[in-house]
Amino acid sequence: MKKLAAGLLLLVPIAGVACAKKEAPPTPAPITEPATTLPAPVSVSTVTLGKAVGADKRVGEPAEVFGAKDTIYASVETAGTGHAKLRALWSFVRGEKTAKVDETTLEFDSTAPATNEFHIAKPSGWPKGDYRLDIFLNDGATPVMTKTFKVG
């Protein structure tokens, strides 16, 4: 009986090992390519109006009201990279009617944020009233930014 008990005691650890769950080998991590981020396309971030721009094409002192003989500057800041076209449409606004004052298109290639400048001047003097500047990007039909101002 002692031999039988001793034999059973020897089988218990073996049975325990045989019944133990085997863990699955770890699954290797999937091979992934390094993340590639496409550069953001050019977009208009801000438009500032003023009576002068610096060498960096930025308006130093923003303004919303101009004199009849002022040159009116618009500093247009862009973000993103690539080829882009900016169009500035200056309009005189009287009630529901608008009259085109000037339109300028500028094409550029950008590798970083950029500042572009547009301006209008009328040596004989601007009529008093309300004006609007619409900035269009590429061949878009809807302005991406609009600024209103007065001559008074």
Side-chain angles (χ1 to χ4, degrees), residues 13-104:
I14 293 172
V17 170
C19 291
K21 283 187 177 178
K22 287 188 177 182
E23 290 188 28
T27 305
I31 298 172
T32 58
E33 296 295 320
T36 55
T37 306
L38 294 175
V42 174
S43 63
V44 174
S45 51
T46 59
V47 175
T48 308
L49 298 175
K51 298 177 184 180
V53 293
D56 61 357
K57 300 180 185 176
R58 288 192 164 98
V59 168
E61 293 182 39
E64 294 179 7
V65 178
F66 297 88
K69 301 253 178 163
D70 286 341
T71 297
I72 303 165
Y73 291 89
S75 177
V76 180
E77 295 185 40
T78 60
T81 61
H83 184 78
K85 187 184 332 181
L86 289 175
R87 181 168 54 102
L89 175 61
W90 303 83
S91 302
F92 178 68
V93 180
R94 181 165 288 174
E96 295 295 316
K97 296 181 180 182
T98 61
K100 182 169 107 174
V101 172
D102 189 51
E103 184 173 7
T104 307

